[in-house]
Amino acid sequence: MRPLITVANRCLHVLSKNSPSEHAVSCSLHLGSGFAGDSPQEDLHPPPPCVEVLPSEVSENVKYTVEPVQLGELTLLKGRVSTQEVFSLSNSDLVPGKYEGGLKLWEGSMDLVKALQSEIQAGKLSFSGKRVLELGCGHGLPAIFASLEGAHTVHLQDFNAEVLRCLTIPNMDANLKKSHAPECSLADRDIRFFGGDWKDIHQILPHIKYNEEDPNGDNGSASGGYDVILMAETVYSISSLQHLYELVKKCMSCPHGVAYMAGKKHYFGVGGGTRRFLSLVEKDGIMASSIVGEVADGSSNLREIWRLSFK
Ligand SMILES: C[S@@+](CC[C@H](N)C(=O)[O-])C[C@H]1O[C@@H](n2cnc3c(N)ncnc32)[C@H](O)[C@@H]1O
């Protein structure tokens, strides 16, 4: 296996630049070799094992401070932890294959929460009683929003189990406690956390439609799958787009499931983007896509929110 080459190589400002938001990041990608243009990403680092992280496994050793995030009328809480403390990485927003950026709050997740609010207000979406999955959750604000809106099941996935332990679980807990709703305790709800790579994570997600490893298990039922899949800033890397799309297909309930995807139209330097992801969707031909919102606030290149559903 080749060693992971990080900061010393190339450092491209690709995902956003000079965000005015104090929460959003200035997203320098510290790229390893073999990760550019259209070529598949080299396996620089073995993917982490797929694991469920229990709320009781929350990290006690990493300093977590909480701060508010204003999203229109809504105030959510987000934590702040040090990338140095968690991953021994200083000044790194993302190191492909090692740390995929989950400790930062990216603009797309705030765009997504606002878009979900608008969808609810327009009567096009309800989370009440639904099964929800957030892929590439990081802070998990979209999934937290779904929980507060009454989703019955909320499952959150991140590449790094450390992100879940140090940040996502405390964030969920802080927001549920703040909501004061008795039905919103983390212990009483089906809120679960899963770490691992998109190409493997279906093996441990509880509600996939069909599991090759367990074709006769509960997961094989036609009623399986998640009603709503949420993902923000997950489509930057060309090498993982196909795995992400295959995962969405495996997890999205058929025929009525929907997925909401927020991200940049194009991620300069790495070649991914919402449009690149949608070209896979279109080529496959089984899902329809419609645009839900666009954000051109000058803080980054154009950002979009899309809705996917089975045709
Ligand atoms: C740029 S961060 C976005 C985090 C969060 N959604 C936000 O918008 O603030 C990308 C997220 O995608 C996830 N991710 C990226 N590549 C992945 C992969 N190959 N497998 C699983 N998760 C991945 C990471 O967990 C990371 O949290």
Side-chain angles (χ1 to χ4, degrees):
M1 188 185 68
R2 297 180 54 188
L4 182 74
I5 304 166
T6 59
V7 187
N9 270 5
R10 284 165 288 168
C11 175
L12 301 180
H13 290 263
V14 289
L15 301 181
S16 74
K17 51 175 185 172
N18 302 330
S19 166
S21 160
E22 60 176 306
H23 305 293
V25 285
S26 135
C27 307
S28 333
L29 264 190
H30 301 298
L31 300 179
S33 63
F35 182 68
D38 290 359
S39 57
Q41 185 179 1
E42 224 176 293
D43 225 356
L44 297 171
H45 214 269
C50 293
V51 287
E52 176 166 6
V53 178
L54 302 176
S56 59
E57 294 173 54
V58 68
S59 174
E60 305 286 346
N61 307 324
V62 170
K63 188 174 170 220
Y64 170 91
T65 53
V66 75
E67 56 196 45
V69 187
Q70 202 60 43
L71 297 157
E73 306 268 285
L74 176 73
T75 308
L76 293 180
L77 300 176
K78 72 170 274 291
R80 188 180 281 274
V81 296
S82 148
T83 316
Q84 174 72 47
E85 234 183 301
V86 181
F87 290 106
S88 302
L89 293 169
S90 55
N91 200 22
S92 290
D93 289 326
L94 197 155
V95 179
K98 185 176 182 207
Y99 159 56
E100 290 287 348
L103 295 180
K104 307 275 184 182
L105 180 60
W106 300 68
E107 297 150 324
S109 63
M110 295 183 277
D111 297 340
L112 182 54
V113 174
K114 289 180 196 159
L116 296 173
Q117 283 178 299
S118 304
E119 289 282 277
I120 292 170
Q121 276 158 17
K124 295 176 183 166
L125 173 71
S126 164
F127 282 113
S128 184
K130 298 279 173 62
R131 281 179 181 171
V132 177
L133 171 67
E134 182 172 359
L135 296 173
C137 62
H139 280 264
L141 294 190
I144 288 167
F145 175 69
S147 306
L148 299 175
E149 286 290 320
H152 173 267
T153 294
V154 179
H155 293 170
L156 300 92
Q157 173 276 334
D158 198 274
F159 187 79
N160 299 106
E162 296 90 335
V163 169
L164 301 170
R165 278 189 209 105
C166 299
L167 186 69
T168 323
I169 294 173
N171 274 358
M172 178 65 86
D173 201 34
N175 280 284
L176 293 186
K177 281 185 179 140
K178 176 180 155 274
S179 78
H180 298 307
E183 71 275 17
C184 279
S185 136
L186 188 47
D188 302 337
R189 300 272 295 274
D190 183 4
I191 298 176
R192 294 168 68 179
F193 305 86
F194 301 90
D197 196 293
W198 291 323
K199 73 178 158 56
D200 306 315
I201 199 77
H202 62 279
Q203 294 166 13
I204 63 164
L205 287 177
H207 297 302
I208 64 162
K209 283 180 303 190
Y210 181 78
N211 185 345
E212 295 106 3
E213 277 92 42
D214 180 22
N216 299 316
D218 289 345
N219 291 349
S221 77
S223 63
Y226 293 87
D227 302 304
V228 187
I229 297 179
L230 304 172
M231 45 193 196
E233 308 267 13
T234 53
V235 292
Y236 53 89
S237 167
I238 288 180
S239 63
S240 59
L241 293 185
Q242 190 68 43
H243 290 308
L244 181 59
Y245 177 54
E246 295 302 329
L247 180 60
V248 171
K249 279 203 291 184
K250 282 185 179 125
C251 292
M252 197 163 96
S253 173
C254 189
H256 298 301
V258 291
Y260 285 90
M261 164 185 66
K264 299 186 177 60
K265 191 172 177 177
H266 183 72
Y267 291 87
F268 292 108
V270 280
T274 51
R275 298 306 171 104
R276 189 79 186 223
F277 184 79
L278 290 168
S279 71
L280 294 180
V281 175
E282 199 173 313
K283 201 166 152 197
D284 197 37
I286 63 167
M287 285 189 198
S289 59
S290 56
I291 192 150
V292 172
E294 279 183 333
V295 185
D297 59 9
S299 70
S300 70
N301 48 322
L302 190 70
R303 311 198 297 274
E304 299 180 323
I305 304 95
W306 286 82
R307 182 182 190 277
L308 306 176
S309 56
F310 286 107
K311 282 181 180 167

